Amino acid sequence: MRAGARIDWQPIEATRNATDLAKVFDPVMRQRPVPTLAEVAKIAGVSIMTASRAVNNRPGVSERTREAIIRIADEIGYVANRAAQKLSGGQTHLIGVIGQLHTGFTAELVLNIGSAARAVDYEMLVYSLPAEDRSPPGNVVDLLNQVADGVIVILPYESEYLAQLNRSHIPIVTIDQTKPDPFPAIIADNYAGARLAMQHLYELGHKRIGFITGNERLASARDRRRAYADLCSQFGLEASDELVSKGDFMQKGGYEAAKRLLALKRPPTAIFAANDVSAFGAMTAIRQAGLRVPEDMSLIGFDDIPLAAQLHPALTTIRQPLPQMARAAVNLLLAMIAGIEAPSPLITLPTQLVVRETTVRPGGRGV
Amino acid sequence: MRAGARIDWQPIEATRNATDLAKVFDPVMRQRPVPTLAEVAKIAGVSIMTASRAVNNRPGVSERTREAIIRIADEIGYVANRAAQKLSGGQTHLIGVIGQLHTGFTAELVLNIGSAARAVDYEMLVYSLPAEDRSPPGNVVDLLNQVADGVIVILPYESEYLAQLNRSHIPIVTIDQTKPDPFPAIIADNYAGARLAMQHLYELGHKRIGFITGNERLASARDRRRAYADLCSQFGLEASDELVSKGDFMQKGGYEAAKRLLALKRPPTAIFAANDVSAFGAMTAIRQAGLRVPEDMSLIGFDDIPLAAQLHPALTTIRQPLPQMARAAVNLLLAMIAGIEAPSPLITLPTQLVVRETTVRPGGRGV
DNA sequence: AGACAAAACGTTAGCGGTAACGTTAAAGGG
DNA sequence: CCCTTTAACGTTACCGCTAACGTTTTGTCT
């Protein structure tokens, strides 16, 4: 072992003077290549295989040797080459996530997955599907498969297509898919959540409630709509096709859907939007029509994305248990990576009503 | 070449009946492994190397052979193994991006980078730095280096630290870093942008303008503050330390900073927040104090994240040219990957004033 | 037609790791 | 104290691909 190989990583503040910076950019420093397992092994005076066993914490090495090897690895700053690990059939401790980062809900979910992954010593790599979702994600799964141990997929449509395209034997978990056939899935209880929303509006006294649909390529959107319809009839609320306005989970869609509802001869007194983003769009439309939220029109969303609480007025909504969903997805994926069959192919998590400022009794506060 | 090897990818709608689904989940289909270059070569009756040259569009293959090989590759659904490519010194046509997806600005920038990358036939993989940014991104750069051809880094602090940690010789481009020493950088003209904001408020007649600072670990935040101070003295505006309130580019920081400004014996008539997210926080504080935006208090932000236009009232702000920045970053990175020295180590892009609804003459519309 | 260059294609080695098996050293058992 | 088992370590082969160089074919010029 070379003397002087020890490296002291200095905290960022300590590098703020010219002398230190000069050292940082010293060509010799910059050229120092990233060390391989072979170098660790050479310094430790063992074979590469022994070094591999040591750093991966696997049996077949004595404690003494293991410690020495790990110390050396730390000192020279060894980091395993994931590409090589994966190529040779090993594990990379990396999970891939595929989703549309454009949407607030997915983005938030992805961040939660990242936290959940780090909590169990995995890193996360994200592939953001383009907004025009037509590019088949099969190749992307293959791509992530080449570097990650497993993939979590959040698609803007049902995943049968993906199942068809995907030929990897990689573990895959989906989120927000009710058909667990192709892959195990994590999903919030959309039906029960939408019932909570409707019940809330009903209890406030609303008899005529409009609904803005989501992207009905997704089961979650269909479940929410089903709950709306079911509760309308259960509570004896007015129900007609004109009260159901087509949206797409997006802002503009919500805006236009709300506009149609407001243009009715008898507009509703409350609007249930299939997700928060649609609700934001609806809010714009309501205000543009010269009405106030919530005095003239109650509004409830779904998802509880961070923005919902920050808006004025703050949006009443149904909360999806994002941290739990993320943890469940990661745990399920890790189990599959470890070769354990999923206990259940479909894990449903409960939702929760979050009452804020956009829902009041019909007719406004005064009534 | 096997007959019947041709595969017709059916559009998603076509798979919706039971018979097709059964076929999809047929074990034989599922087990079909992802093909390698060796299989392409075998079917084509050429060596692996020739197949490699063909699919990578490199010289040394006749047009006839190339076409045949590419056709076969398409038919059996060959996708290059990026891990193997990278390991053997080749290019993966993949770029890595490191940033904090939590912040709206970064998230939007990342999406733009994704589009820019796809436009030049590259894919993007994202690593989201945890909110607690203390984990040194050096390892993460190494990680992405192992799979990507280059990395674009968007840090919540100056990048000297990164330069110190990073030992890869991988091409790196940073965004929002004024010190191009370690790596070439793309940056919006924050100083000029902030001047535009101040000039706008000045022209509306504001004489007492409050400023909410950003995260001053970033040069962009310091530049904006500098412009604020410079224009205060240039325009002869009231300037005092109490008008500068410490924020951190985040919602809560903006909220608290605005609260302090409002609590002054003589509050300002307008607030310039160092970024849009801070401005949102400020808006909450202003409303909580019983004041209206913009009648009682004008408010201007910086960045023009998508949310700015969707708020009520819509936020006046300074637009950063995200698509251009993304394209510039990608182009610069690709140039570096190709071995071309960056023409300039620091590319500055112009910003733009976007007047919306939160800025009016002091005293409200009536004046 | 022979010589020779260029294009087309093949072979070898190796990227950095791991699985599988082979070998050596330590431990245990009668 | 020798034999056997087990732990500790080493060797070999290979993952899928590309760089570098070697070989064969195809012109091309005189």
Side-chain angles (χ1 to χ4, degrees):
Chain A
M1 188 200 326
R2 296 176 309 190
R6 173 175 296 277
I7 291 157
D8 280 318
W9 299 125
Q10 301 181 16
I12 175 168
E13 285 77 12
T15 72
R16 282 284 161 77
N17 67 66
T19 322
D20 277 356
L21 279 180
K23 215 183 310 177
V24 172
F25 302 124
D26 181 277
V28 180
M29 289 286 284
R30 294 205 73 170
Q31 290 309 321
R32 172 168 45 94
V34 5
T36 69
L37 199 51
E39 291 162 45
V40 175
K42 202 168 110 196
I43 297 176
V46 297
S47 76
I48 296 180
M49 205 52 227
T50 300
S52 171
R53 283 188 268 252
V55 297
N56 289 309
N57 218 37
R58 291 148 84 102
V61 202
S62 70
E63 265 323 303
R64 261 178 50 85
T65 325
R66 180 190 306 279
E67 277 166 23
I69 292 172
I70 288 178
R71 195 165 36 74
I72 291 168
D74 281 349
E75 281 177 5
I76 69 173
Y78 167 75
V79 251
N81 186 324
R82 258 84 173 193
Q85 283 182 313
K86 191 68 192 178
L87 197 56
S88 66
Q91 300 210 345
T92 58
H93 270 225
L94 222 58
I95 65 172
V97 174
I98 298 177
Q100 274 191 315
L101 284 184
H102 312 257
T103 73
F105 172 72
T106 304
E108 193 61 23
L109 185 50
V110 167
L111 289 176
N112 274 283
I113 293 173
S115 304
R118 267 189 286 267
V120 291
D121 206 33
Y122 268 69
E123 294 288 1
M124 172 187 72
L125 245 35
V126 184
Y127 180 87
S128 179
L129 287 172
E132 335 75 50
D133 72 81
R134 275 296 158 190
S135 78
N139 299 326
V140 177
V141 174
D142 281 345
L143 188 153
L144 284 176
N145 176 19
Q146 292 163 1
V147 53
D149 293 339
V151 179
I152 295 175
V153 189
I154 313 161
L155 291 179
Y157 46 79
E158 307 288 353
S159 63
E160 287 110 17
Y161 185 42
L162 174 61
Q164 188 177 8
L165 281 177
N166 174 51
R167 301 139 310 171
S168 328
H169 313 154
I170 194 174
I172 292 182
V173 170
T174 60
I175 297 185
D176 240 17
Q177 304 270 336
T178 34
K179 296 232 185 76
D181 318 32
F183 315 109
I186 309 290
I187 193 161
D189 195 335
N190 290 288
Y191 183 78
R195 286 185 67 106
L196 287 176
M198 288 300 288
Q199 191 167 345
H200 173 61
L201 293 176
Y202 174 73
E203 284 169 358
L204 284 172
H206 291 277
K207 303 280 182 236
R208 190 168 167 79
I209 301 171
F211 182 69
I212 298 175
T213 70
N215 173 1
E216 303 229 337
R217 289 210 284 162
L218 283 171
S220 57
R222 298 194 297 269
D223 284 350
R224 292 172 202 177
R225 180 190 187 149
R226 194 159 49 81
Y228 165 80
D230 286 0
L231 284 214
C232 275
S233 69
Q234 183 180 328
F235 291 152
L237 303 179
E238 302 184 34
S240 70
D241 285 350
E242 62 175 22
L243 282 176
V244 176
S245 191
K246 192 171 169 300
D248 55 2
F249 275 158
M250 294 194 286
Q251 182 125 358
K252 203 175 166 212
Y255 170 80
E256 281 157 7
K259 250 181 143 169
R260 284 194 297 275
L261 289 175
L262 294 167
L264 292 178
K265 261 168 289 178
R266 288 180 49 233
T269 63
I271 295 180
F272 174 21
N275 75 343
D276 288 350
V277 175
S278 301
F280 298 150
M283 206 184 285
T284 308
I286 295 167
R287 280 168 164 156
Q288 225 170 60
L291 301 176
R292 291 160 304 166
V293 176
E295 291 85 347
D296 303 314
M297 179 72 73
S298 282
L299 183 60
I300 189 167
F302 203 110
D303 285 350
D304 194 27
I305 62 178
L307 194 59
Q310 296 159 7
L311 232 62
H312 294 274
L315 185 71
T316 298
T317 190
I318 303 297
R319 174 175 299 161
Q320 295 212 45
L322 256 33
Q324 290 87 326
M325 290 170 73
R327 270 202 301 275
V330 170
N331 289 342
L332 188 49
L333 190 65
L334 293 195
M336 293 173 69
I337 291 170
I340 302 163
E341 271 308 304
S344 158
L346 181 61
I347 297 179
T348 308
L349 265 31
T351 51
Q352 182 188 346
L353 171 68
V354 181
V355 179
R356 287 198 271 252
E357 300 165 7
T358 56
T359 45
V360 294
R361 306 172 71 89
R365 291 189 185 106
V367 178
Chain B
M1 186 201 329
R2 296 175 307 188
R6 173 174 296 277
I7 291 157
D8 281 317
W9 298 129
Q10 302 181 16
I12 174 168
E13 285 77 11
T15 72
R16 282 286 161 75
N17 67 67
T19 321
D20 277 356
L21 280 180
K23 214 183 311 177
V24 171
F25 302 124
D26 182 277
V28 179
M29 289 286 285
R30 293 205 73 170
Q31 290 309 319
R32 173 168 45 94
V34 5
T36 70
L37 199 50
E39 291 162 46
V40 175
K42 202 167 112 197
I43 297 175
V46 297
S47 74
I48 296 180
M49 204 53 225
T50 300
S52 171
R53 283 188 268 253
V55 297
N56 289 309
N57 219 35
R58 292 149 84 103
V61 201
S62 70
E63 265 323 302
R64 260 178 50 84
T65 328
R66 180 190 307 279
E67 278 166 22
I69 292 172
I70 288 178
R71 195 167 35 74
I72 290 169
D74 281 349
E75 280 176 6
I76 69 172
Y78 168 74
V79 252
N81 186 323
R82 259 78 176 197
Q85 283 183 313
K86 189 70 190 179
L87 197 55
S88 67
Q91 300 210 347
T92 58
H93 270 226
L94 222 58
I95 65 171
V97 174
I98 298 177
Q100 272 190 315
L101 283 183
H102 312 257
T103 74
F105 172 72
T106 304
E108 193 60 24
L109 186 49
V110 167
L111 289 176
N112 274 284
I113 293 173
S115 303
R118 267 188 285 268
V120 290
D121 206 34
Y122 268 68
E123 294 288 3
M124 172 187 72
L125 245 35
V126 184
Y127 180 87
S128 178
L129 286 172
E132 336 74 50
D133 71 82
R134 276 295 157 190
S135 78
N139 299 326
V140 177
V141 174
D142 281 346
L143 187 153
L144 283 175
N145 176 19
Q146 291 162 2
V147 53
D149 293 339
V151 179
I152 295 175
V153 189
I154 313 162
L155 291 179
Y157 46 79
E158 306 288 354
S159 64
E160 287 108 17
Y161 185 42
L162 174 61
Q164 187 177 8
L165 281 177
N166 174 50
R167 300 141 309 172
S168 328
H169 313 153
I170 194 174
I172 292 182
V173 170
T174 60
I175 297 185
D176 241 18
Q177 304 270 337
T178 34
K179 297 233 184 76
D181 319 31
F183 315 108
I186 310 290
I187 193 162
D189 195 335
N190 290 288
Y191 183 77
R195 286 184 68 104
L196 287 176
M198 288 299 289
Q199 193 167 344
H200 173 60
L201 292 176
Y202 174 73
E203 283 169 358
L204 283 172
H206 291 277
K207 302 281 183 235
R208 189 167 168 79
I209 301 172
F211 182 69
I212 297 175
T213 70
N215 173 0
E216 303 230 337
R217 289 211 282 164
L218 282 171
S220 57
R222 298 194 297 270
D223 284 350
R224 293 172 201 177
R225 180 190 187 150
R226 193 158 50 82
Y228 165 79
D230 286 0
L231 284 214
C232 275
S233 69
Q234 183 181 327
F235 290 152
L237 303 180
E238 300 184 34
S240 70
D241 285 351
E242 63 175 21
L243 282 175
V244 175
S245 191
K246 190 170 171 300
D248 54 2
F249 275 157
M250 294 194 287
Q251 182 124 356
K252 203 175 165 212
Y255 170 80
E256 280 157 8
K259 252 181 141 168
R260 285 193 297 274
L261 288 174
L262 294 167
L264 292 177
K265 260 168 290 178
R266 288 180 49 234
T269 62
I271 295 179
F272 173 21
N275 76 342
D276 288 350
V277 175
S278 301
F280 298 149
M283 206 184 283
T284 309
I286 295 167
R287 280 169 164 155
Q288 226 169 61
L291 301 175
R292 291 160 305 165
V293 176
E295 292 85 347
D296 303 314
M297 178 72 72
S298 283
L299 184 60
I300 189 168
F302 204 111
D303 285 349
D304 194 27
I305 62 179
L307 194 60
Q310 297 159 6
L311 233 63
H312 292 274
L315 185 72
T316 297
T317 189
I318 303 297
R319 174 175 298 161
Q320 294 213 45
L322 256 33
Q324 290 87 328
M325 290 170 73
R327 271 202 301 274
V330 170
N331 289 341
L332 188 50
L333 190 64
L334 293 195
M336 292 173 70
I337 291 170
I340 302 162
E341 270 307 303
S344 158
L346 181 61
I347 297 179
T348 308
L349 264 31
T351 51
Q352 182 187 347
L353 172 67
V354 181
V355 179
R356 286 198 270 252
E357 302 166 5
T358 56
T359 46
V360 294
R361 306 172 69 90
R365 291 189 183 105
V367 179

